[in-house]
Amino acid sequence: MLARQRQAIILEEARRDGAVRVSDLVVKLGVSDMTVRRDLDVLAGRGLVEKVYGGATSMMGKSTDEPGFEAKSVRQRAQKNAIASMAATLVRPGTAIGLSAGTTTWTLAHALDSVPGLTIVTNSIQVADVLRASGQSDRTVVLTGGVRTPSDALVGPVAVHSLRTLHLDLVFLGVHGMSESAGFTTPNLTESETDRALVEAGRKLIVLADHTKWGVVGISTIADLNEADTVVSDAGLPQSARDVLTERVGELMIAPVPGADELPEESAC
């Protein structure tokens, strides 16, 4: 078994159970104690687990943890770029689309420069800044207004009221986490209400979520898995997650990450 395959299994175990023991992993994986510890060092270095005596704990965090925009923008850059490039192919010239707040939708905003005639509605200050900086004269950008969150989203009654008067062709939703039981979630209660209004404004919902979002649960559900017409993720998404999403969502699109070695589907993470 390749090192990345072992690490994928270890991470999935940690996320499912909250923690893993070196002794248990030695038996499960059929490798030495030293090999397991090296794998845990790699995962800890990537910020995915925290090493403790005799094993490691998951770094999924509390359901209300919400890193700021700058902190999130440096995570999984290659994956987000790949997801954004694939998502941009779904946008047709002259359509009206919605972009939620988040670093993956912010990355998508950069990828939309080649699509003419768009009307783009967003509750994200960061996304709006990117779109306006493009200087395209045939583009209309609508910023909802509202109260600013740590992730630079505009939320609350003003944002919700604005969104409930609109009708969009596509809505692209960035999420804090996704799981089989909780669906697509956020750690911010007020932001979830605004995101739900954005989802309801669109004819089709496209969720953008890299593989690290699987198994992460925020305090509030934005939408159930079966409400998504499309989910765009990256090649690191575990096969168990792919099976669930393929069954529950309209379409699952997997974006290849240039320069990254893809894992076999049964052990991807």
Side-chain angles (χ1 to χ4, degrees):
M1 186 182 295
L2 298 176
R4 289 189 62 191
Q5 292 175 303
R6 291 194 309 272
Q7 292 157 17
I9 294 171
I10 292 170
L11 182 57
E12 192 166 1
E13 294 267 322
R15 285 179 168 172
R16 187 187 67 230
D17 300 333
V20 289
R21 293 179 181 274
V22 171
S23 57
D24 294 337
L25 293 171
V26 167
V27 175
K28 182 179 181 66
L29 300 173
V31 294
S32 68
D33 177 284
M34 186 61 68
T35 297
V36 170
R37 293 185 186 278
R38 281 198 298 266
D39 287 336
L40 291 177
D41 284 338
V42 171
L43 293 172
R46 293 167 58 195
L48 299 174
V49 300
E50 180 179 3
K51 291 190 69 180
V52 296
Y53 182 76
T57 58
S58 173
M59 290 288 285
M60 284 167 51
K62 300 175 183 177
S63 62
T64 56
D65 283 349
E66 184 177 15
F69 184 90
E70 293 301 326
K72 291 189 290 186
S73 67
V74 299
R75 300 177 181 175
Q76 287 76 48
R77 282 182 173 177
Q79 289 83 357
K80 290 173 183 176
N81 285 334
I83 289 169
S85 295
M86 180 168 281
T89 66
L90 303 175
V91 181
R92 298 290 177 260
T95 54
I97 67 173
L99 298 184
S100 76
T103 53
T104 311
T105 48
W106 173 77
T107 306
L108 172 59
H110 287 84
L112 293 175
D113 281 351
S114 62
V115 187
L118 295 178
T119 297
I120 305 173
V121 176
T122 184
N123 68 321
S124 168
I125 297 169
Q126 298 280 357
V127 168
D129 285 347
V130 169
L131 296 170
R132 287 171 174 165
S134 69
Q136 294 187 0
S137 59
D138 63 345
R139 173 176 291 175
T140 300
V141 180
V142 179
L143 191 61
T144 63
V147 179
R148 189 172 183 171
T149 71
S151 60
D152 282 344
L154 297 176
V155 301
V158 172
V160 170
H161 177 75
S162 298
L163 291 167
R164 285 179 175 165
T165 65
L166 300 175
H167 307 281
L168 306 172
D169 297 304
L170 302 175
V171 166
F172 292 90
L173 180 69
V175 297
H176 173 75
M178 57 178 175
S179 76
E180 183 173 7
S181 58
F184 305 107
T185 60
T186 173
N188 188 299
L189 285 169
T190 309
E191 189 167 346
S192 68
E193 183 182 11
T194 303
D195 282 344
R196 281 194 288 269
L198 179 61
V199 169
E200 291 168 2
R203 288 193 302 108
K204 290 187 177 181
L205 172 61
I206 301 168
V207 176
L208 310 181
D210 68 76
H211 70 275
T212 66
K213 304 297 178 67
W214 183 254
V216 176
V217 178
I219 193 172
S220 183
T221 296
I222 303 165
D224 293 331
L225 294 184
N226 57 16
E227 294 182 62
D229 294 282
T230 303
V231 170
V232 186
S233 190
D234 64 86
L237 190 69
Q239 183 60 43
S240 57
R242 299 188 191 199
D243 292 341
V244 171
L245 292 170
T246 299
E247 181 180 348
R248 297 279 297 278
V249 307
E251 180 184 17
L252 174 62
M253 300 177 68
I254 300 296
V257 181
D261 294 328
E262 292 187 21
L263 296 177
E265 289 191 353
E266 67 271 18
S267 59
C269 190

